[in-house]
Amino acid sequence: DTEVTQTPKHLVMGMTNKKSLKCEQHMGHRAMYWYKQKAKKPPELMFVYSYEKLSINESVPSRFSPECPNSSLLNLHLHALQPEDSALYLCASSQGRDSLQWEKLFFGSGTQLSVL
Amino acid sequence: GQSLEQPSEVTAVEGAIVQINCTYQTSGFYGLSWYQQHDGGAPTFLSYNALDGLEETGRFSSFLSRSDSYGYLLLQELQMKDSASYFCAVRIYSGGYQKVTFGTGTKLQVIP
């Protein structure tokens, strides 16, 4: 199984809503990531979890709250988002540090988020 | 700061060869990767160079020159399905951890 599964595939939410994005992988990868991608732009790193601990937060606003309940799951909790937060949110995983496979990211198909 | 620059668009003919360049300025550089992303799809890993030289994977090859902070992706025998966006990416060391940052991206259009 070389899949990263993200749900939901599409999400429309109002600025006062609370929602969560979910990501799951069963490849035994110990590093998991959230990226944000706007149309015609590269993915932008938001968060990195390494061995279930938050290792990198790229100065992301607190209305985005990541969570890693276990080594296979990654969540992104959303609250009080702004219309400019509308984007494709991509989850990825990789083997983890000290591995030649560290740099190979496996991406999920993403959640297309629209904030109204 | 860091930057990874790519041409924004490239057009090539089916069956031909195309080269997509990437120039980078980073600190704590480990290596250069390449990803392909079709419209509406997820990025997929193509290749990785940690050392100078050429890496070949089927129709795709990737090259790195660390002294020039430059790399390229070479696609041979182009097929229509190769029409996609291509991103270079660098793995860098930051604050005790490693992260992967993507270049500006090149949209490749393959024409008959």
Side-chain angles (χ1 to χ4, degrees):
Chain A
D1 183 4
T2 58
E3 272 196 353
V4 176
T5 304
Q6 286 188 246
T7 56
K9 293 196 184 305
H10 302 275
L11 179 62
V12 179
M13 60 186 291
M15 289 189 284
T16 59
N17 292 158
K18 285 185 181 181
K19 296 286 185 184
S20 296
L21 309 184
K22 296 187 184 303
C23 174
E24 189 169 5
Q25 58 89 12
H26 295 289
M27 294 178 279
H29 288 174
R30 303 314 299 267
M32 296 186 77
Y33 313 75
W34 282 113
Y35 282 85
K36 172 183 175 180
Q37 187 176 27
K38 292 273 201 178
K40 302 185 189 304
K41 296 292 186 182
E44 293 179 19
L45 183 65
M46 300 175 71
F47 302 104
V48 180
Y49 273 83
S50 179
Y51 290 80
E52 299 160 51
K53 287 184 168 35
L54 182 65
S55 58
I56 295 178
N57 176 342
E58 293 285 83
S59 303
V60 178
S62 60
R63 57 186 183 269
F64 295 90
S65 175
E67 179 196 21
C68 189
N70 60 56
S71 60
S72 299
L73 294 174
L74 188 66
N75 299 321
L76 186 63
H77 303 297
L78 314 173
H79 174 55
L81 294 193
Q82 304 297 309
E84 58 265 29
D85 297 323
S86 298
L88 180 67
Y89 288 84
L90 293 161
C91 173
S93 70
S94 67
Q95 284 278 5
R97 60 185 179 197
D98 302 326
S99 165
L100 287 176
Q101 290 300 311
W102 203 103
E103 70 287 338
K104 182 176 179 178
L105 301 185
F106 290 79
F107 281 88
S109 55
T111 295
Q112 187 65 55
L113 174 67
S114 296
V115 182
L116 304 179
Chain B
Q2 60 191 39
S3 69
L4 294 93
E5 297 294 327
Q6 302 177 233
S8 58
E9 294 182 356
V10 173
T11 300
V13 177
E14 190 177 14
I17 299 172
V18 71
Q19 178 174 311
I20 299 173
N21 299 321
C22 173
T23 56
Y24 61 87
Q25 283 188 314
T26 68
S27 56
F29 176 82
Y30 276 77
L32 188 71
S33 299
W34 288 91
Y35 287 79
Q36 177 192 62
Q37 186 177 28
H38 287 98
D39 284 347
T44 56
F45 175 86
L46 293 176
S47 68
Y48 175 70
N49 295 71
L51 303 175
D52 286 359
L54 194 67
E55 293 283 340
E56 297 182 58
T57 309
R59 293 189 298 114
F60 295 178
S61 302
S62 57
F63 172 82
L64 175 65
S65 169
R66 296 173 72 106
S67 60
D68 295 324
S69 297
Y70 164 76
Y72 66 73
L73 180 69
L74 193 72
L75 294 82
Q76 300 179 303
E77 301 172 16
L78 280 173
Q79 302 176 7
M80 298 300 291
K81 67 179 182 180
D82 297 329
S83 293
S85 292
Y86 292 83
F87 296 95
C88 60
V90 292
R91 181 164 68 104
I92 62 174
Y93 197 76
S94 172
Y97 295 95
Q98 299 173 42
K99 61 181 183 179
V100 177
T101 302
F102 287 80
T104 52
T106 299
K107 188 168 181 64
L108 171 65
Q109 183 181 13
V110 180
I111 58 176

